[in-house]
Amino acid sequence: MKKFTTSVSQETAFTVSQLNRQIQQLLEASLPWILVEGEISNLAKPSSGHWYFSLKDDKAQIRCAMFKGKNAAVRFKPKDGDMVRLRARVTFYGPRGDCQLSVEGMESAGEGALQQAFERLKNNLQAEGLFAPEHKKPLPTKPERIAIITSPVGAAVRDMIIAFRRRFPLTELTILPSLVQGQDAAKNILRQLQRADGSGHFDAIILGRGGGSLEDLWSFNDETLARAIFAANTPIVSAVGHETDFTISDFIADVRAATPTAAAELLSPDRNQLIRQIEQQEKQLVRRMSRILEQCQQQLDFMTKRIRHPKERIEQQQNQLEQLKRRLQQSMQRKVLEQQTQTANLAHRLERNSPTRRIDQDRQKLKDIDARLARALSNTLTNKQTAFARIIDKLNLVSPLNTLARGYAIASKDKQVIRSVKDVEKGDAISVRVQDGIISCDVTDR
């Protein structure tokens, strides 16, 4: 029998820890990142927030761990039996000699094909120009009637209703119930969209639902629905899922809202801001009324200066006008103070009281003032006419004609009054003026 010898005793032997460390280095160096598909089993979710499970197929399985910071990004709730696709690193736990996957990302195994279909439809519609900004319709600034196409139950519709009621409760909301998930959801949404748009009754339409996985949101990636959104005459807001979720309806709608609540905020004016606008308009109205009154006062001043009155009467009228001016200014100041203290109830007061009423009252006051001024002018003119008549009477008393009426006569020669006998000679022709005519005479003696 031949004797064999070995040199094992001359080679360096690994310790178990050295061997496991070598295996770990080789595995992690050769397989840094991998994509692997399989079925979840033995899923455990302890209070630490980490997930521990096995990934298996019909022939093998491997342990997996997905830590809290990573599993928070998973958009669905995994359970035993789910087919998933994992992005993971191969790790080797030396103390136990176990090989496992450290999972960085997880998606439903069906989402890969759905994502490809999503990208393919998105690229086709974008190439046709359906996403172009020039096709987007602007949203109305103060819509009165809004249609909401969504599930009638759930948080999304409740959040939108609450947001509208909080911001602008006058908006008329019409909930058009529809499936938002499942095989017939896209047809339901399409039917309600065509119904709302065809009615011509609504100022805007919201397509909304809460968040979910790509499969949950797939009805909003329907090509027929996308083309109907593009062809709609009514502005459409897409509010599907959470801020990180995107669907075809988001790209083709006129506006994409990050959440259903954000859609409600886009289409509802801020009530507080409207109140501030009303207050500003009130101040502008007061200023305009003040300018109108000032112009009227200036016109009165101008007319007063043009009318020629006795000095005393003019001063009296000017004093009255100054008093009226001060009264008007004080009245306006009081009115402004009252308006400032009542701004909280402005919206209701504007409905009950028209500003034209105050203007009409002020105009009536101006008419009354004009009437009083006209009466005063008339009385002054009458007094002056009476005084003038008295002066005429006084002039008549000293008039030569009145002297002639008492029996006196005026003699003249060559139209010169004869004041002395020296002014005539014997034989001169003279004229004698009496009350009712002229007598021609000859001088026979002097």
Side-chain angles (χ1 to χ4, degrees):
M1 181 176 181
K2 185 177 180 180
K3 184 177 181 181
F4 293 92
T5 62
T6 178
S7 60
V8 173
S9 61
Q10 299 176 356
E11 296 178 355
T12 302
F14 285 103
T15 64
V16 175
S17 59
Q18 290 174 337
L19 177 60
N20 284 351
R21 189 161 49 250
Q22 185 71 21
I23 294 173
Q24 180 181 10
Q25 293 173 354
L26 290 173
L27 280 174
E28 295 180 359
S30 60
L31 296 172
W33 292 102
I34 60 171
L35 290 175
V36 58
E37 292 184 1
E39 177 184 338
I40 293 178
S41 66
N42 301 320
L43 176 61
K45 298 180 180 179
S47 60
S48 63
H50 308 317
W51 294 351
Y52 300 99
F53 57 92
S54 295
L55 190 69
K56 68 177 184 177
D57 58 18
D58 57 347
K59 297 180 179 179
Q61 67 177 9
I62 187 172
R63 292 181 179 178
C64 302
M66 191 171 191
F67 299 107
K68 182 178 180 180
K70 304 297 182 182
N71 59 37
V74 177
R75 296 185 297 177
F76 66 100
K77 295 181 180 180
K79 60 183 181 301
D80 286 347
D82 284 352
M83 292 296 296
V84 294
R85 172 181 291 184
L86 306 180
R87 176 177 171 81
R89 292 184 295 107
V90 178
T91 61
F92 186 82
Y93 187 58
R96 287 201 308 264
D98 290 339
C99 180
Q100 69 174 18
L101 297 180
S102 178
V103 181
E104 298 288 326
M106 176 188 295
E107 64 181 19
S108 176
E111 289 192 357
L114 291 178
Q115 187 65 36
Q116 292 178 3
F118 172 85
E119 295 295 338
R120 184 166 54 252
L121 177 58
K122 175 185 173 184
N123 293 335
N124 291 340
L125 296 178
Q126 187 173 18
E128 293 182 34
L130 271 61
F131 299 166
E134 57 267 23
H135 297 311
K136 306 294 185 183
K137 294 180 286 295
L139 297 182
T141 55
K142 296 178 181 177
E144 297 179 359
R145 297 175 295 274
I146 295 176
I148 301 177
I149 301 175
T150 187
S151 171
V153 296
V157 66
R158 184 175 64 253
D159 291 345
M160 285 187 281
I161 292 174
I162 291 174
F164 275 111
R165 292 294 175 260
R166 171 174 51 84
R167 288 174 58 83
F168 199 72
L170 298 180
T171 305
E172 177 186 311
L173 301 179
T174 301
I175 309 300
L176 300 179
S178 172
L179 296 174
V180 292
Q181 182 175 338
Q183 184 177 359
D184 296 327
K187 294 180 181 179
N188 273 218
I189 298 170
L190 176 61
R191 183 167 58 252
Q192 295 290 36
L193 173 62
Q194 293 173 338
R195 172 188 172 192
D197 183 57
S199 70
H201 178 72
F202 300 104
D203 300 319
I205 299 172
I206 297 176
L207 301 180
R209 67 149 287 163
S213 66
L214 183 60
E215 290 178 339
D216 295 337
L217 306 179
W218 191 250
S219 56
F220 293 90
N221 295 324
D222 183 78
E223 182 175 359
T224 304
L225 175 61
R227 295 188 182 278
I229 294 173
F230 180 80
N233 296 317
T234 309
I236 295 178
V237 177
S238 177
V240 180
H242 300 301
E243 186 172 0
T244 56
D245 297 324
F246 283 91
T247 63
I248 295 299
S249 66
D250 292 333
F251 293 106
I252 207 164
D254 298 299
V255 175
R256 182 227 177 208
T259 62
T261 301
E265 292 176 350
L266 282 174
L267 288 172
S268 57
D270 188 351
R271 178 172 52 185
N272 295 329
Q273 183 178 359
L274 289 178
I275 291 176
R276 288 193 295 270
Q277 291 177 355
I278 293 175
E279 292 173 352
Q280 292 176 356
Q281 292 174 357
E282 179 197 13
K283 294 178 181 178
Q284 293 176 358
L285 180 61
V286 171
R287 287 196 294 267
R288 291 178 182 176
M289 291 174 62
S290 300
R291 285 197 296 269
I292 292 173
L293 290 175
E294 289 175 357
Q295 292 173 358
C296 293
Q297 292 169 2
Q298 290 176 359
Q299 291 176 358
L300 284 175
D301 292 340
F302 178 72
M303 295 299 296
T304 302
K305 292 179 181 179
R306 291 185 59 188
I307 299 175
R308 297 185 179 276
H309 298 292
K311 181 178 180 181
E312 181 180 355
R313 192 63 180 174
I314 292 176
E315 291 176 351
Q316 180 181 359
Q317 293 294 328
Q318 287 178 341
N319 291 334
Q320 291 178 352
L321 289 174
E322 290 296 329
Q323 292 175 1
L324 291 174
K325 180 178 179 181
R326 286 193 296 271
R327 289 172 58 190
L328 286 173
Q329 290 175 343
Q330 293 171 357
S331 177
M332 287 301 303
Q333 290 174 353
R334 288 194 300 270
K335 187 63 180 177
V336 169
L337 291 175
E338 291 174 0
Q339 298 264 343
Q340 290 175 345
T341 57
Q342 296 174 359
T343 52
N345 300 320
L346 179 61
H348 299 293
R349 292 183 58 204
L350 286 177
E351 294 176 359
R352 296 194 301 268
N353 301 311
S354 172
T356 56
R357 180 179 178 185
R358 175 59 63 181
I359 295 176
D360 292 340
Q361 291 175 351
D362 292 339
R363 286 177 177 172
Q364 185 61 43
K365 289 182 181 179
L366 291 176
K367 289 181 181 179
D368 294 342
I369 293 172
D370 287 340
R372 291 170 58 190
L373 180 60
R375 289 195 298 270
L377 290 176
S378 177
N379 294 335
T380 300
L381 290 176
T382 300
N383 294 336
K384 293 302 179 182
Q385 289 173 351
T386 301
F388 182 73
R390 292 174 181 172
I391 293 172
I392 295 299
D393 292 340
K394 291 180 180 180
L395 290 176
N396 288 333
L397 292 175
V398 298
S399 173
L401 297 177
N402 287 339
T403 303
L404 294 176
R406 293 198 301 271
Y408 292 93
I410 300 174
S412 62
K413 174 185 176 183
D414 298 330
K415 299 182 179 181
Q416 300 291 327
V417 176
I418 299 173
R419 302 180 184 278
S420 173
V421 295
K422 297 178 181 181
D423 293 339
V424 297
E425 297 291 341
K426 185 178 180 179
D428 288 345
I430 64 175
S431 299
V432 179
R433 183 180 182 87
V434 294
Q435 179 184 8
D436 55 353
I438 300 175
I439 301 173
S440 297
C441 305
D442 292 329
V443 179
T444 59
D445 194 9
R446 52 168 290 191

